[in-house]
Amino acid sequence: MVYLGGTNNLEPLMEEDINLLEKIGSNPKFNMVVQFSRESVGGEAFRYLITKDEDTKVIQSTPVSVGKVDSADYRVLKDFIIWGEQTYPANQIALIISSHGGGWTGIVEDTVQGSFMSGTDLQKAVREARFETNRKLDVLHIYSCLM
């Protein structure tokens, strides 16, 4: 699972990231899912099952809108984790979080809402998702500034 908090000036780079993920794509033994919030559409977020594709300029995976969200709200991350685990069950689960980070200040920045997800909020999202699904993450990777 890849959570892209792109409701900031990183949105174009995150589009490139999705295109790179499409070079790998999902397959019958491996599902790659993404939630991507976008500043250019006022904070609307989209979920993707990443499909294999060699075009590195255009995202070919089908987006499904989840509406406008505050990508820095821990409940939005928690819902994505639960959705990913329930929709695409797996023996092993990895979560990658990418956005602007601020070290101790926060992990995901949402400039539309003017908010930042704190480390405590990240912990709440993961803990509450684990409680609801009875599954724990095998890997958590944070790809944010100053982390």
Side-chain angles (χ1 to χ4, degrees):
M1 293 183 283
V2 181
Y3 187 80
L4 299 175
T7 318
N8 51 54
N9 66 350
L10 292 177
E11 180 181 348
L13 297 172
M14 291 179 174
E15 285 180 356
E16 292 176 18
D17 289 344
I18 292 175
N19 274 303
L20 291 174
L21 293 173
E22 287 181 330
K23 290 188 81 164
I24 301 165
S26 299
N27 64 55
K29 294 185 178 186
F30 175 79
N31 289 310
M32 189 181 322
V33 295
V34 171
Q35 180 161 317
F36 179 28
S37 62
R38 304 182 69 140
E39 182 179 51
S40 64
V41 289
E44 189 171 1
F46 300 87
R47 289 182 179 162
Y48 302 82
L49 171 63
I50 300 298
T51 54
K52 188 165 178 59
D53 161 36
E54 294 298 323
D55 182 346
T56 59
K57 300 296 181 200
V58 177
I59 297 171
Q60 299 294 329
S61 300
T62 304
V64 176
S65 176
V66 293
K68 292 190 179 190
V69 301
D70 178 351
S71 62
D73 185 330
Y74 83 93
R75 293 168 293 207
V76 174
L77 174 59
K78 176 187 84 170
D79 290 344
F80 172 63
I81 296 168
I82 293 168
W83 171 83
E85 290 181 5
Q86 292 177 343
T87 307
Y88 299 99
N91 293 329
Q92 296 175 320
I93 302 166
L95 173 63
I96 300 168
I97 300 172
S98 181
S99 184
H100 275 306
W104 295 109
T105 307
I107 295 162
V108 175
E109 180 185 34
D110 187 313
T111 57
V112 171
Q113 298 296 325
S115 56
F116 232 125
M117 182 185 299
S118 69
T120 303
D121 285 343
L122 169 63
Q123 181 182 26
K124 281 197 287 191
V126 171
R127 181 180 293 150
E128 289 180 17
R130 180 179 181 181
F131 178 77
E132 192 161 326
T133 63
N134 201 30
R135 294 288 316 272
K136 68 176 185 172
L137 298 174
D138 294 290
V139 175
L140 173 61
H141 178 78
I142 300 172
Y143 183 58
S144 296
C145 310
L146 302 176
M147 303 311 287

